[in-house]
Amino acid sequence: MHDIKAIRDDSSAFVRGLTRRGLGDAQALADGLLVQDKALRDLLVRLQTDQARRNDASKLIGQAKAKKDEALAASLMAEVAGLKESIQQGEASQRELEDALKQALAVIPNIPADDVPDGADEAANVPVAARAFGKAPGINAPKQHFEIGEALGLMDFERAAKVSGARFVYLKGDLARLERALGAFMLDTHTQKFGYTEMAPPVLVKSPALFGTNQLPKFEEDLFRTTNEDPFWLIPTAEVSLTNYVSDEILNEAELPLRFTAFTPCFRAEAGAAGRDTRGMIRQHQFSKVELVSITTPDQSNAEHERMTDAAQEILKALDLAHRVVTLCTGDMGFGAKKTYDIEVWLPGQNAYREISSCSNCGDFQARRMNTRFRNTEGKVKGPVHTLNGSGLAVGRTMVAILENYQQPEGSVAIPAALQPYMGGKKVIEKL
RNA sequence: GGAUGGGUGGCCGAGUGGUUUAAGGCAGCGGUCUUGAAAACCGCCGGGCCUGCAAGGGUCCCGUGAGUUCGAAUCUCACCCCAUCCGCCA
């Protein structure tokens, strides 16, 4: 969420940033916000003047009563009584104006960082040459992952449809184990090589948490929720649970950065994706993912973003999976991001690079929504922290990549060396 | 789900209607002393917002919301959360 004071101080930066994102009416939006802001501040000046008079007079009433000066007390009481109504009205107006302003701010996306390339959609994303890794393996007539998995008898979409409908899958035998192995391998890598703290977080959360990480109020249709009056929501990503771990807190600068990782199921309604990726495991209502979240000071977040992307890439390198990294352009970035790197893994069966991780620096955008600040070593509150999140990696899609890149002509799938210890030393996945 | 007890500043904790700007302690920061440190002593020490060039001034916040009152941390109502016990349960 944006800071209204920053918009007040420099509305042109705000307008420029949103225009780069492709919002056509950014100037009108800013003007409207500033009108609301001015109305609120004018009201506060009036209201606080009244409150000050009431407080002074009330104090004098106490003193007059102590001196038994009933006449003075009575006249002061009459004066304060007259203020009462206007104060109550003012307080109600304050609430309305503040709520309206917050609502307006809550649906405005973050401003892109200066070094984010301009562009309307994914066609304008820019490859990061230095981060490219590996070469597409030469596979003759490559099969898609679901063909491989079903032929092995280890992947069952039909029965999943019977039980849960479209966009679910049963994994069996070594593929079920592979999911668990991937989760363990990723967690071990992030905790041991990159200093992340492993978490086992809630996957049902309350609305304020989803407001904190931008899913609410704007993207409600992407989420599942329970039917209680005060509902729980199923997390679409562990970013929600891990980032909100520090909501409503003032952290000490000395304990930053905080780095959290978790292996969790994720749930997405995929409301706007009808007809896309309908076959296979690429787009499911439920999938598992290892998530990375960092909480940093403002001056650390850019370096942390590179480091987090390194950590995510490290998994693909260890699995020897060809991939590339692109910097998302202004028009393709998520709502809360200042800058995002997508990691795209090569899928021989699709003959294409597909997203397997997205690492974003959100700057202070989520921290302001969550009310998370930090205090320096002198004890002074220095303002909102910065938050970053990234997939490290999407486990289902990693399995897809392994199946397609390690497929053997006769239908079996080699297990990457780094995973073999997690698969009981097994080297190949074969038909059940 | 039932019963009881609780929610106060970074932490612990006092405070049952005005004369208080939420006592006191711990932690933190600065200083005295010391070769250095500890101890002791002295001082500083919550957050948001409005206003102001600044110094400063004002206002709101004692779980949340509504109410009573000239005035609420304190009284009333509703709700949320936590703890303990009981019931149920993986």
Side-chain angles (χ1 to χ4, degrees), chain A residues 246-250 366-373:
Chain A
V246 296
S247 65
D248 285 312
E249 294 196 24
I250 303 176
Q366 294 180 327
R368 198 169 277 115
R369 294 170 87 96
M370 292 193 300
N371 189 29
T372 303
R373 293 164 290 167

Side-chain angles (χ1 to χ4, degrees), chain A residues 385-401:
Chain A
V385 296
H386 279 199
T387 63
L388 304 96
N389 63 80
S391 350
L393 306 161
V395 171
R397 290 189 180 182
T398 306
M399 187 180 301
V400 168

Side-chain angles (χ1 to χ4, degrees), chain A residues 16-21 109-118 329-330 333 337-339:
Chain A
R16 202 179 325 120
L18 290 184
T19 302
R20 287 182 63 210
R21 264 204 180 247
N110 203 355
I111 298 293
D114 290 341
D115 60 347
V116 169
D118 288 322
C329 73
T330 52
M333 278 198 306
K338 270 178 63 182
K339 182 176 179 180

Side-chain angles (χ1 to χ4, degrees), chain A residues 12 201 262 299:
Chain A
S12 66
D299 60 307

Side-chain angles (χ1 to χ4, degrees), chain A residues 290-336:
Chain A
V290 170
E291 182 72 0
L292 302 170
V293 160
S294 295
I295 312 292
T296 76
T297 56
D299 60 307
Q300 290 174 320
S301 69
N302 285 338
E304 183 72 12
H305 190 209
E306 301 298 324
R307 188 182 187 279
M308 176 180 280
T309 308
D310 289 344
Q313 275 194 267
E314 179 65 24
I315 302 296
L316 290 170
K317 289 179 179 173
L319 297 175
D320 197 27
L321 289 168
H323 61 278
R324 66 182 184 186
V325 177
V326 297
T327 304
L328 296 193
C329 73
T330 52
D332 200 28
M333 278 198 306
F335 181 83

